[in-house]
Amino acid sequence: MAKKVDRRVRKTKMQLRQGLARLMQKKSIKEITVKELVDEVDINRSTFYLHYTDIYQMLEKIEEEAMADIREAMEGCPDDCTEREKIIPFLARFFSIMDSNRDLSLALLGPNGDMDFVERIETLIANRFLKQSSYAYAFCLSGCIGMIKTWLSRTEHESPEAMAELIYHLIDNTTQEYIQNYIR
């Protein structure tokens, strides 16, 4: 059974995550210091060090949690899943994860984000849903990342379910068109 985390610890970690997201939207992780982060969220440096060894370890933990959430969302879809009824719920859960971590997601996907993290997400999704390696799938993945960034940056945006439907149809139409016209 998982150990319950103290409310104060959860609150402190959330403040640190939000502060890191704000700073990453302005500058690269390499430029962010522990002092700058703790000043941003108004906590003591010693409190930061109770939870993390440095900024990089903090970012690594955040990324691990995000990947675990995405893997958990994928559990309803078996390998090589192509059924709309299984893909749409996964996509909706994926967009819900991104939406509930909006500032952090924008920071990680933005110009100061971690491109290795973005590639890990792309690989995870491609390995599950896009087994065939082709230009159409690479195009779709890149387009999806762009759509996610745009969606996250809008103050008023479509629901995760609406985005799931949109992405599914765009990918399905693109891949079907590609298969019909370019695969011989």
Side-chain angles (χ1 to χ4, degrees):
M1 188 159 102
K3 193 166 69 172
K4 189 170 181 175
V5 179
D6 182 272
R7 183 172 47 96
R8 292 171 298 169
V9 171
R10 284 193 317 266
K11 183 179 177 194
T12 299
K13 285 186 173 185
M14 182 57 67
Q15 286 176 291
L16 288 167
R17 286 171 58 115
Q18 291 169 344
L20 183 63
R22 284 190 301 273
L23 292 172
M24 284 181 68
Q25 289 180 16
K26 299 174 193 167
K27 56 173 70 176
S28 100
I29 191 75
K30 294 175 188 169
E31 300 171 303
I32 299 171
T33 65
V34 171
K35 180 180 181 348
E36 184 177 22
L37 176 58
V38 298
D39 287 348
E40 175 77 16
V41 297
D42 196 27
I43 65 168
N44 293 321
R45 284 173 63 103
S46 58
T47 303
F48 174 89
Y49 289 116
L50 283 173
H51 305 290
Y52 307 105
T53 57
D54 57 26
I55 294 285
Y56 298 102
Q57 193 231 5
M58 179 184 172
L59 181 61
E60 183 181 321
K61 294 280 186 199
I62 290 168
E63 290 176 353
E64 285 172 10
E65 289 172 14
M67 291 299 285
D69 288 345
I70 294 167
R71 280 190 195 93
E72 185 180 318
M74 292 174 91
E75 287 178 4
C77 289
D79 284 349
D80 241 356
C81 181
T82 57
E83 298 171 38
R84 180 186 183 286
E85 294 76 28
K86 292 184 179 176
I87 293 176
I88 295 286
F90 157 70
L91 290 171
R93 284 192 301 276
F94 177 80
F95 276 100
S96 290
I97 291 166
M98 301 298 278
D99 194 30
S100 64
N101 296 293
R102 175 176 296 277
D103 289 346
L104 195 57
S105 296
L106 264 175
L108 291 171
L109 296 174
N112 298 315
D114 182 355
M115 293 321 304
D116 288 337
F117 176 67
V118 174
E119 287 177 19
R120 286 195 314 264
I121 291 174
E122 288 176 344
T123 301
L124 182 67
I125 292 172
N127 286 343
R128 177 62 64 95
F129 301 110
L130 309 173
K131 293 284 187 182
Q132 301 168 327
S133 177
S134 74
Y135 295 123
Y137 294 121
F139 178 80
C140 288
L141 277 174
S142 295
C144 287
I145 297 297
M147 283 182 67
I148 291 167
K149 286 182 195 179
T150 300
W151 178 71
L152 288 169
S153 64
R154 295 175 65 182
T155 52
E156 292 190 28
H157 61 275
E158 294 78 6
S159 70
E161 294 77 17
M163 287 303 293
E165 288 282 345
L166 177 61
I167 289 247
Y168 175 81
H169 290 296
L170 288 172
I171 290 172
D172 190 48
N173 291 340
T174 300
T175 54
Q176 291 305 317
E177 182 74 20
Y178 177 77
I179 289 168
Q180 289 173 1
N181 293 309
Y182 298 101
I183 302 293
R184 301 189 201 294

